[in-house]
Amino acid sequence: RSTGVYMRTVKIEHPAKHKNMGKVENVALMTSGGLAPCLSSSVGHLIYYWSEALKAGKIDGLTIRCYVDGYKGILTGHSYTIPPEHWSKCSFLQELGGSPIGNSRVKLTNIKDCVARGLVKEGEEPLEVAARQLIADQVTVIHTIGGDDTNTQAAVLSKYILDNYGGKVGVIGMPKTVDNDVNPIKQSFGADTAAEQGALFFKNVVNESTANPRMLILHECMGRDSGYLTAATAYKYREMLANQDFPEGHVFSSTRQSRDVHAVWIPEMPLNIEAEGARLKKLMDTYGNVNVFMSEGSGVHEILAELEAKGQDVPRDAFGHVKLDQINPGQYFAKRLAEMIDAEKTLVQKSGYFARSAAANAFDKELIRKCAEAGVDAAIEGISGCMGEDEDKE
């Protein structure tokens, strides 16, 4: 599974001896899962702090390897090393959205899926293939930038290498998810930016409420099991709305109230569509439009029950998650609600891809910077874990 890329380790002389002098770190970076506004920033900060550790004499040698498309790259042996002369030129990543090295959704313990996708051959075990690749690349530390699934898989892989090869690969997880649902981490990377971008998205979309009488706008936000992003997006939008100037007593029909958020539906709370319909009908009659913020995971159990009752298959990904984009919860509930509130026109708008593909904002950049710095120091000391502010500790 060689890619023709050879290991290149940089060694420099230091005036003072450090306790880790002589230690060479072969660092691997990978991003995985869905996008979030933090991936490029995380890669950039990690490159910076590893190169600084080398300059400071905390380590005596360093290579930085990137696995292309996350776990897919590990399984297929697709990676490259970043030339040392490029390390100081990676600050541009702070202004980029997306991932500079590519993502994929791969579950190493789902052998059937890995074989079907051509990531491993029939009869091969993905964990074994991945372990052999990391060992062949002499990786000593891997930074997994992803959500709960990504970092859980990394821990499984690290233990597999320890149990079966007696070796150790340090795993430093970077908690990436717009859902902000990695327990017990207080704030996951990219969630604040995604909420900010979602609010900006709706600030424009809400103007469509003036395009037609009795308009229903359903703003669908990402969030399979967590309503954080939907709630945070609504909060940030209402902050924007509060700062808009609406002169007292103006005569126009478009008001702060007509542009407000009239409902927030999240997975953690049961959705009583009949009760909501009755409540929102009054607002429609008053303002001439209704604006709903909905997590994509809200009411999914009701949709699944309906599909299964009809004998239809429920589409799922490699992790067993329902493919929400294929069952369209927003369209499903918008259609039902529109009938209840006598909407003349319905508009379902999804901010997910717009929000998650943005570059990190100032808040997230600083959060990532602090965690990357601590993560590099922990890796040098041989400590594995997931970097973040622990809400269970002072």
Side-chain angles (χ1 to χ4, degrees), residues 9-14 16-26 53-54 57-62 140 380:
T9 300
V10 183
K11 291 190 176 181
I12 59 176
E13 298 298 325
H14 303 288
K17 199 78 172 176
H18 187 274
K19 70 175 183 177
N20 285 314
M21 202 66 174
K23 185 176 184 180
V24 175
E25 293 286 14
N26 298 320
L54 183 64
K58 295 180 180 180
I59 53 176
D60 195 37
L62 174 67
T140 56
I380 293 171

Side-chain angles (χ1 to χ4, degrees), residues 5-254:
V5 178
Y6 294 92
M7 181 83 61
R8 187 146 60 129
T9 300
V10 183
K11 291 190 176 181
I12 59 176
E13 298 298 325
H14 303 288
K17 199 78 172 176
H18 187 274
K19 70 175 183 177
N20 285 314
M21 202 66 174
K23 185 176 184 180
V24 175
E25 293 286 14
N26 298 320
V27 177
L29 309 178
M30 60 160 280
T31 61
S32 189
L35 294 184
C38 63
L39 301 174
S40 293
S41 179
S42 296
V43 170
H45 278 307
L46 287 170
I47 293 170
Y48 173 79
Y49 281 110
W50 273 112
S51 62
E52 287 297 297
L54 183 64
K55 290 178 185 178
K58 295 180 180 180
I59 53 176
D60 195 37
L62 174 67
T63 63
I64 301 177
R65 177 181 297 274
C66 297
Y67 284 105
V68 179
D69 298 330
Y71 286 118
K72 179 181 179 181
I74 296 179
L75 292 176
T76 60
H78 189 189
S79 68
Y80 55 85
T81 54
I82 303 175
E85 60 269 23
H86 289 185
W87 295 345
S88 63
K89 302 175 183 178
C90 292
S91 59
F92 77 97
L93 294 175
Q94 298 301 327
E95 305 307 318
L96 291 185
S99 169
I101 53 181
N103 279 27
S104 65
R105 292 185 183 275
V106 176
K107 187 173 184 179
L108 297 177
T109 52
N110 190 335
I111 300 174
K112 183 178 179 181
D113 180 69
C114 289
V115 172
R117 294 166 64 181
L119 302 179
V120 298
K121 298 176 182 177
E122 190 73 46
E124 288 185 321
E125 184 176 351
L127 279 171
E128 174 65 20
V129 173
R132 288 201 307 263
Q133 188 64 54
L134 291 180
I135 291 169
D137 291 335
Q138 301 177 44
V139 172
T140 56
V141 176
I142 184 167
H143 289 278
T144 55
I145 308 166
D148 192 47
D149 289 332
T150 297
N151 291 309
T152 299
Q153 290 291 294
V156 171
L157 179 58
S158 179
K159 185 176 186 304
Y160 183 90
I161 294 173
L162 180 64
D163 292 345
N164 293 275
Y165 289 93
K168 183 177 181 182
V169 177
V171 178
I172 305 294
M174 305 285 276
K176 172 269 332 173
T177 172
V178 298
D179 293 336
N180 195 31
D181 61 351
V182 181
N183 184 51
I185 292 172
K186 182 178 180 180
Q187 185 75 28
S188 62
F189 301 168
D192 187 78
T193 303
E196 184 177 270
Q197 290 293 317
L200 178 63
F201 175 91
F202 192 74
K203 183 181 179 181
N204 284 353
V205 169
V206 74
N207 294 319
E208 289 292 329
S209 65
T210 67
N212 203 81
R214 300 189 70 85
M215 172 77 85
L216 166 62
I217 300 180
L218 192 148
H219 178 197
E220 186 176 331
C221 301
M222 287 187 166
R224 178 185 304 279
D225 300 305
S226 169
Y228 169 85
L229 181 59
T230 303
T233 301
Y235 183 86
K236 287 182 179 289
Y237 169 70
R238 297 194 79 206
E239 283 187 324
M240 292 179 181
L241 184 62
N243 289 325
Q244 281 190 292
D245 184 23
F246 287 90
E248 191 70 30
H250 74 79
V251 299
F252 301 103
S253 58
S254 185

Side-chain angles (χ1 to χ4, degrees), residues 44 261 307 361:
V261 180
L307 290 175
N361 65 10

